[in-house]
Amino acid sequence: MPSLAVVGLQWGDEGKGKVVDALTAEADLVCRYGGGANAGHTVCVGSERFVLHLVPSGILHPDKRCVIGNGVVVDPDGLLGELQALRERGIAVSPERLALSERAHLVMPYHVALDRLREERAGAQRLGTTGRGIGPCYTDKTARVGIHAGALRDRARFERRLQAALRDKAELLGRVAPEAVDPARLLAALDRWQQLVPYLADTVALVHQALDAGERVLFEGAQGALLDVDLGTYPYVTSCNAGIGGLCAGTGVPPNRVDRVLGVAKAYMTRVGRGPMPTELPDRTGAALRERGEEYGATTGRPRRCGWLDLVATRHAVRFCGIDAVCLTKLDVLSGFSEIRVAVAYRLGGRVIETMPADAEELAACEPVYETLAGWAEPIAEVTREEELPPAARDYVAFVEARLGARIAWLSVGRRRDQLICRGEAGPWTGA
Ligand code: IMP
């Protein structure tokens, strides 16, 4: 039985939540491998809308098991709040259904305070983070003063780890957020956080056992590949490997056990926070994309920056993520534009280039080289077969596919689970 990874190919918010939710119907186990509560996965089931930040969206299917892998950074209060919200909506999440890696790092209140302080102090040079403590938590992990979720099991061990972590924090935060570095307060919170102990597990063994038993395992990426700390638009990135590289490190599953990689790309670009975005449209067309696509952050509510599809950037992600097939999402949002543009190259200092510069300042200086395609007027949200799409919509998909370097296997035309058009016979699990 195959295992399948789902990776966002842009700056996040590509609609992975819905795709993962649809694929979960055929999975036994869903595993998240990176990021934290900076992610916001929106899933609509019937008339109900769920926004999940840490719990894999597979939890909305009653018979599936979910794993929060070791690469995820977990805010204990955030996770407890999410479990409570699910419970209130009739979804009981038992430890049989959700396993939290004992190696996952905890996002502590001082990480959140540091994230906000650094952003505030950076002024015009701020990154525009989600303010969820993600960067400082990964920094502590790499600096070897992070706290594993497994430490929640043992008060004395937790206290020792906390002492090590707090060593340099009081200086920075003592005056601005004293409560965030107050050991007594943090230890008092431990009583609450210990509610997570029943969920702790050796998830490396658990996922390998599932693979050995021939179960279908779905790996759910968070954010998008262009936010990858190594291969994204550094420094305007998140602090982990949001591309495929994060999967192996963030689950303990080696690359030769990942059978297929499905990329999710939006039919246009969006970005939240700062950083270069060559095709950004700070005009009425961008505003129209934002309104029609309801482009407001699921985590922070911030309006997303919108622009035409950037094939240079998206192709870069397809390449380094080893994408077998793509789901192109939000195609319905493009209905009603008389013409649609797609960036196929950049112009930089008098040269035309087809690859993405590594330096953020160079990327910001790039001007897109556009191809202009015909638009279509008809709404397509209820179309269920590719043949029923307006010819201009089909041409758009064919154009994108030809230049992306990967087969477009699915088109998403709305929020609902059933608003997915399958192209060709092969499903994402089986490939071909
Ligand atoms: P951080 O991950 O909160 O440190 O934020 C770093 C950058 O990544 C900012 O530009 C955020 O807006 C962006 N970011 C982080 N998570 C997501 C996400 O799930 N979707 C879209 N952008 C994100």
Side-chain angles (χ1 to χ4, degrees):
M1 281 291 180
S3 62
L4 174 69
V6 177
V7 185
L9 294 175
Q10 293 149 338
W11 287 291
D13 311 314
E14 299 92 351
K16 293 178 298 297
K18 172 190 156 163
V19 176
V20 168
D21 180 59
L23 290 168
T24 300
E26 293 170 42
D28 298 298
L29 189 93
V30 184
C31 180
R32 218 177 116 184
Y33 58 81
N38 48 351
H41 286 173
T42 309
V43 185
C44 293
V45 184
S47 58
E48 288 219 71
R49 186 161 176 261
F50 295 83
V51 182
L52 297 166
H53 298 283
L54 281 163
V55 179
S57 41
I59 211 72
L60 303 175
H61 294 250
D63 52 339
K64 311 292 174 184
R65 287 177 300 137
C66 294
V67 168
I68 299 179
N70 58 277
V72 179
V73 289
V74 176
D75 180 328
D77 282 324
L79 181 53
L80 286 170
E82 222 164 289
L83 294 177
Q84 176 63 20
L86 284 164
R87 210 170 295 129
E88 280 163 15
R89 294 172 80 169
I91 300 171
V93 183
S94 65
E96 283 68 47
R97 287 201 58 217
L98 178 71
L100 166 62
S101 168
E102 53 202 4
R103 290 174 187 267
H105 279 248
L106 294 176
V107 178
M108 301 293 285
Y110 47 81
H111 292 136
V112 177
L114 272 175
D115 195 359
R116 296 185 182 167
L117 179 75
R118 284 189 184 139
E119 283 286 271
E120 233 172 78
R121 289 201 178 156
Q125 261 142 43
R126 72 192 185 284
L127 299 174
T129 72
T130 57
R132 299 293 169 105
I134 306 298
C137 183
Y138 279 115
T139 305
D140 273 6
K141 172 175 170 171
T142 314
R144 293 153 294 176
V145 290
I147 305 181
H148 276 161
L152 293 172
R153 286 193 182 114
D154 180 328
R155 183 169 283 269
R157 195 181 346 146
F158 184 86
E159 198 169 345
R160 281 194 299 277
R161 299 304 305 165
L162 187 62
Q163 267 171 8
L166 286 177
R167 219 168 282 143
D168 60 344
K169 308 275 185 328
E171 254 168 71
L172 287 161
L173 292 170
R175 267 191 304 141
V176 285
E179 68 293 345
V181 284
D182 176 356
R185 230 182 143 115
L186 293 167
L187 283 171
L190 184 59
D191 295 334
R192 192 167 68 245
W193 298 338
Q194 280 179 326
Q195 291 174 64
L196 293 174
V197 168
Y199 296 93
L200 291 172
D202 176 352
T203 54
V204 180
L206 196 152
V207 177
H208 275 268
Q209 278 154 10
L211 289 167
D212 293 345
E215 292 186 20
R216 283 193 172 194
V217 178
L218 181 62
F219 297 101
E220 173 178 353
Q223 288 86 44
L226 300 180
L227 289 169
D228 188 285
V229 68
D230 279 288
L231 294 153
T233 50
Y234 192 87
Y236 299 98
V237 290
T238 191
S239 299
C240 68
N241 288 114
I244 195 69
L247 191 159
C248 299
T251 59
V253 172
N256 58 0
R257 300 212 75 177
V258 182
D259 295 305
R260 300 188 55 76
V261 187
L262 178 75
V264 183
K266 215 181 269 194
Y268 51 95
M269 304 303 273
T270 63
R271 177 162 204 167
V272 268
R274 297 185 66 244
M277 178 178 175
T279 62
E280 182 172 13
L281 295 166
D283 59 7
R284 278 170 49 189
T285 310
L289 283 171
R290 181 158 46 251
E291 291 317 309
R292 293 179 202 180
E294 296 176 43
E295 296 294 354
Y296 294 89
T299 300
T300 58
R302 290 181 288 181
R304 296 182 185 138
R305 299 155 63 192
C306 297
W308 296 125
L309 182 61
D310 182 341
L311 281 176
V312 183
T314 310
R315 202 166 45 217
H316 168 62
V318 164
R319 187 175 280 159
F320 78 78
C321 291
I323 298 300
D324 296 298
V326 170
C327 175
L328 190 69
T329 61
K330 296 190 114 172
L331 188 63
D332 54 305
V333 174
L334 294 182
S335 286
F337 288 95
S338 55
E339 55 181 40
I340 298 170
R341 306 179 91 187
V342 182
V344 293
Y346 299 144
R347 195 165 284 112
L348 178 65
R351 280 185 313 133
V352 171
I353 54 172
E354 293 190 352
T355 53
M356 213 174 81
D359 185 85
E361 286 179 31
E362 273 187 29
L363 183 59
C366 284
E367 275 180 36
V369 176
Y370 283 118
E371 293 253 359
T372 303
L373 284 84
W376 60 93
E378 305 88 322
I380 58 171
E382 299 307 326
V383 171
T384 53
R385 289 161 17 136
E386 191 188 3
E387 305 81 77
E388 291 161 11
L389 286 172
R394 268 183 280 154
D395 289 349
Y396 182 77
V397 174
F399 180 91
V400 172
E401 182 174 56
R403 282 159 181 79
L404 204 51
R407 185 174 74 88
I408 298 181
W410 273 2
L411 303 172
S412 171
V413 291
R415 277 190 191 282
R416 293 194 322 264
R417 273 182 188 170
D418 61 329
Q419 288 172 302
L420 269 181
I421 301 173
C422 193
R423 293 179 83 227
E425 295 298 307
W429 286 96
T430 45

